[in-house]
Amino acid sequence: MSRRGRARGSARGRTTSLRPARLSPADLVRLGGTGLRTRPLRVFLSALGIAIGVAAMVAVVGISSSSRAEVDRRLDALGTNMLRVAPGQTPDGRKTRLPEEAVPMIRRIGPVQQVAAIGVLDGAAVYRNAHVPVGRTSSVQVAAAEPRLLPAIGGSVRTGRWLASATEEYPAVVLGAEAARRLDAYTPGMRLWLGGKWFSLVGVLEPAPLAPEIDSSALIGWQAARTYLRFDGHPSTVYVRARNDRVTAVRDVLAATANPAQPNEVLVSRPSDALAAREATESALTGLLLGLGGVALLVGGVGVGNTMVISVLERRPEIGLRRALGATSGQIRGQFVAESLLLSALGGLGGTVLGTAITAAYAYVRDWPTEVPVWAAGAGIAVTLLIGATAGLYPAVRAGRLSPTEALAGS
């Protein structure tokens, strides 16, 4: 046999092995993007479902974080070093009184920086004028106040001025923010009927978060209360400011200092703890809203899965043609999983932007600092990708199992 004949026989004996082309991640992304662009309305609606769930989660976490930031900001401005001393009860349930010497005795504690007291006048009432029927007090209490009260509670004056040495001995009154609203009295110089006598309004206070009882009070000078309303001088509440590093130590000795004879009948509290407790209570509502956001996100995932299943049914001819041209089952599965991930990523990014915008708008309206934790945005996108992969897995497997003849026969 000649050399040429042997070469032909050798060529016939060889078997040619064909290997399927490999699709790079970039190719899968391009394929997935092409599949989404062919159905824009359905893609938009499915991505909208995901976006609503993510936006709800991000907005809930963002608004909650902004609320906590506002509480922290207010506490930083007002201080967490304020303590409140009030009379308690006797063992048989009767209300006690703080000694008249409670304020000067507390002032002798070394780490104490500021001390001020109010004394509620139970028998006195305030009216807008003398013609208002007795009893319609608008739930405004009358209290004697010391000049040092305002800095002790971190309060400020909205209009007018505070009780000073020139006015605390005369019939002058300062209204808390809520008391002014209830009495509809805001203009300094107007007269109020207080305790059966005319008092001149000299100022209105801003709200006092650490001493909310001040908001609904009509405050008069300590000496004026003695002179005009027969005040006995016993404080009903004492506000104490201590050094930040010694608050706990001062708190431990306040009861015994305020009333050495009966320290067990003295109540000592820290108003900033109440704000912290309110913040903890709000976390329960945050958990509920996060649950609702999770349900919305799950519904969005179902929408993605439904879109992908319908896509497989509609695109059977395309799948059959690609299989006939040599595409493997794995490549078909990869294409549909890529479409599902792109669809979920689109909804996740849109939801994150929407949730952040909702948080910023809400914080702006409430005059809060805007704070959206980075982990919330990252978690929202990660969860959507996980849901997208899960929702697209079954349709992708179903598409990959279609044989070329079966797919083309169904067209």
Side-chain angles (χ1 to χ4, degrees):
M1 182 182 292
S2 65
R3 182 179 301 175
R4 182 177 298 176
R6 287 196 300 270
R8 289 174 181 171
S10 175
R12 292 192 196 99
R14 293 196 197 101
T15 58
T16 304
S17 59
L18 297 177
R19 296 181 179 179
R22 293 183 177 180
L23 294 178
S24 66
D27 295 329
L28 287 175
V29 171
R30 282 195 293 270
L31 277 174
T34 302
L36 296 182
R37 286 195 298 270
T38 58
R39 302 177 308 283
L41 181 59
R42 188 177 299 161
V43 167
F44 171 76
L45 294 177
S46 298
L48 182 62
I50 288 284
I52 290 174
V54 175
M57 296 180 66
V58 172
V60 167
V61 175
I63 291 174
S64 178
S65 299
S66 299
S67 174
R68 284 193 288 269
E70 172 64 14
V71 171
D72 294 339
R73 185 179 73 172
R74 290 170 61 187
L75 287 178
D76 289 342
L78 298 171
T80 58
N81 63 335
M82 192 180 93
L83 298 169
R84 185 177 182 272
V85 182
Q89 292 182 337
T90 62
D92 57 0
R94 291 182 294 107
K95 189 175 181 179
T96 62
R97 296 195 303 176
L98 294 175
E100 291 186 53
E101 301 80 12
V103 172
M105 288 191 297
I106 292 174
R107 193 171 286 123
R108 294 192 182 99
I109 302 175
V112 169
Q113 296 174 325
Q114 294 175 339
V115 182
I118 63 170
V120 176
L121 304 171
D122 294 326
V126 58
Y127 303 94
R128 181 177 171 83
N129 55 58
H131 304 292
V132 178
V134 175
R136 296 186 180 179
T137 62
S138 302
S139 300
V140 176
Q141 69 176 4
V142 179
E146 294 187 332
R148 302 184 184 90
L149 176 65
L150 215 55
I153 64 173
S156 58
V157 178
R158 177 185 299 175
T159 58
R161 57 183 178 178
W162 175 242
L163 299 170
S165 56
T167 55
E168 65 169 342
E169 298 181 2
Y170 299 98
V173 60
V174 173
L175 295 179
E178 182 63 18
R181 186 190 68 81
R182 294 175 185 175
L183 294 172
D184 192 23
Y186 300 97
T187 307
M190 68 179 297
R191 298 197 304 168
L192 298 175
W193 187 249
L194 192 155
K197 297 177 176 58
W198 288 108
F199 277 68
S200 296
L201 178 64
V202 296
V204 176
L205 301 180
E206 293 283 1
L210 294 182
E213 62 276 5
I214 299 298
D215 293 342
S216 57
S217 299
L219 305 169
I220 63 176
W222 201 271
Q223 188 57 44
R226 288 181 180 273
T227 303
Y228 299 101
L229 302 179
R230 298 180 181 178
F231 177 47
D232 59 10
H234 289 274
S236 57
T237 305
V238 181
Y239 303 96
V240 181
R241 290 276 184 177
R243 281 169 38 190
N244 289 321
D245 58 339
R246 303 298 301 275
V247 174
T248 303
V250 172
R251 184 176 187 173
D252 293 339
V253 301
L254 267 180
T257 305
N259 191 354
Q262 300 292 340
N264 58 318
E265 297 177 0
V266 177
L267 299 178
V268 180
S269 61
R270 191 174 182 178
S272 58
D273 292 343
L275 294 179
R278 185 185 67 183
E279 178 182 334
T281 303
E282 290 176 351
S283 65
L285 179 61
T286 299
L288 174 62
L289 295 177
L290 280 176
L292 295 176
V295 172
L297 193 58
L298 180 61
V299 172
V302 172
V304 171
N306 181 58
T307 297
M308 299 311 300
V309 169
I310 295 176
S311 178
V312 171
L313 296 177
E314 289 180 343
R315 297 164 65 188
R316 289 166 65 97
E318 175 193 337
I319 296 171
L321 181 60
R322 290 197 60 211
R323 292 298 307 276
L325 293 176
T328 65
S329 308
Q331 291 173 347
I332 298 297
R333 287 195 299 270
Q335 174 186 350
F336 280 88
V337 169
E339 287 186 19
S340 180
L341 288 175
L342 286 174
L343 181 58
S344 299
L346 182 64
L349 290 173
T352 300
V353 172
L354 180 60
T356 303
I358 292 173
T359 301
Y362 188 84
Y364 176 78
V365 171
R366 298 295 299 271
D367 196 22
W368 291 354
T370 302
E371 185 171 313
V372 179
V374 177
W375 66 263
I381 296 176
V383 169
T384 56
L385 292 178
L386 178 61
I387 289 179
T390 304
L393 188 59
Y394 169 73
V397 171
R398 182 175 179 178
R401 287 177 178 174
L402 290 175
S403 64
T405 55
E406 180 185 3
L408 291 173
S411 60

